[in-house]
Amino acid sequence: MKTRVRFDRGDLTLDVVLPDAPIVALTGPNGAGKSTVLRCLAGLEPASSVVRHGPLPGSVGYLPQRTSLFPAMSLRDNVASSLRFSGVGRVESRQRAEALLAEFEIGELARRRPHEVSGGQRQRAGLARAIAAIPDLLLLDEPFVAIDVAARRSMRTRLVQHLAASGSSCVFATHDDADVEAMGAVRVELA
């Protein structure tokens, strides 16, 4: 679905057309509006206008730049929370959360709380939570930036596999050309 995002506040004016592609990468310098476009698509910017040509996504998963996990919950329960919100039972949501954490190479940390793990491990848990409920549209803001370079390759591969298996579309912001290439994304450059 082709989507047009318009936003105007202060010094930032955006008029961006996103192509009809399964994976779109927003690139450009700091302050160009990448995060704002994602926030507009997520419905978090009331001053924005989003016009979609085609069906509206039924569900949206969003991972902000600063991974926002619930501090009092374990990583497993954080991931399971998105499943619980979508109607999955408690036992099944925990089992699926543990499987996703294992797939994202942090299964042994499932019972730890966010403050007990590194930033990269929190980022992986946040990514697992964002995809757990299989949203129609997945919005990711710098999803790999906190993850060490060696692990990024496998995280990108796993994400692409999840998107292909689920049929979800994805729009993500990045400064890393390797993310764009590895994800097979259509690039939209913001100035």
Side-chain angles (χ1 to χ4, degrees):
M1 105 190 107
K2 194 159 126 180
T3 303
R4 184 175 199 160
V5 177
R6 291 181 181 176
F7 178 83
D8 188 11
R9 186 183 333 144
D11 292 340
L12 182 61
T13 300
L14 295 170
D15 190 355
V16 180
V17 176
L18 302 178
D20 182 12
I23 304 175
V24 175
L26 302 173
T27 61
N30 290 339
K34 298 178 299 296
S35 297
T36 302
V37 169
L38 293 176
R39 289 180 51 79
C40 291
L41 291 169
L44 300 173
E45 288 292 347
S48 67
S49 167
V50 177
V51 178
R52 290 182 171 88
H53 302 283
L56 295 174
S59 59
V60 176
Y62 175 57
L63 178 66
Q65 242 177 41
R66 288 181 154 177
T67 304
S68 55
L69 298 174
F70 300 114
M73 291 181 165
S74 67
L75 298 184
R76 178 194 63 198
D77 290 341
N78 265 282
V79 175
S81 69
S82 73
L83 293 162
R84 296 285 291 142
F85 291 138
S86 65
V88 177
R90 184 173 169 239
V91 172
E92 183 182 348
S93 66
R94 283 183 162 188
Q95 290 171 341
R96 286 171 55 183
E98 286 183 0
L100 268 173
L101 290 170
E103 187 176 335
F104 280 75
E105 302 171 4
I106 53 171
E108 72 282 0
L109 305 174
R111 288 180 173 72
R112 291 195 188 168
R113 289 195 164 84
H115 70 277
E116 299 174 322
V117 299
S118 73
Q121 292 163 337
R122 280 192 301 275
Q123 189 78 10
R124 292 183 202 196
L127 190 54
R129 185 175 72 180
I131 68 170
I134 310 173
D136 295 323
L137 175 61
L138 185 60
L139 305 170
L140 306 171
D141 200 348
E142 298 280 353
F144 310 110
V145 73
I147 300 172
D148 62 85
V149 175
R152 283 183 194 178
R153 290 183 195 98
S154 64
M155 295 302 105
R156 291 178 191 126
T157 300
R158 285 180 170 80
L159 181 56
V160 169
Q161 290 168 344
H162 275 279
L163 293 169
S166 68
S168 298
S169 297
C170 179
V171 179
F172 71 99
T174 186
H175 288 281
D176 190 343
D177 288 339
D179 291 343
V180 179
E181 293 167 21
M183 300 272 297
V186 174
R187 181 191 302 263
V188 174
E189 181 79 23
L190 303 180

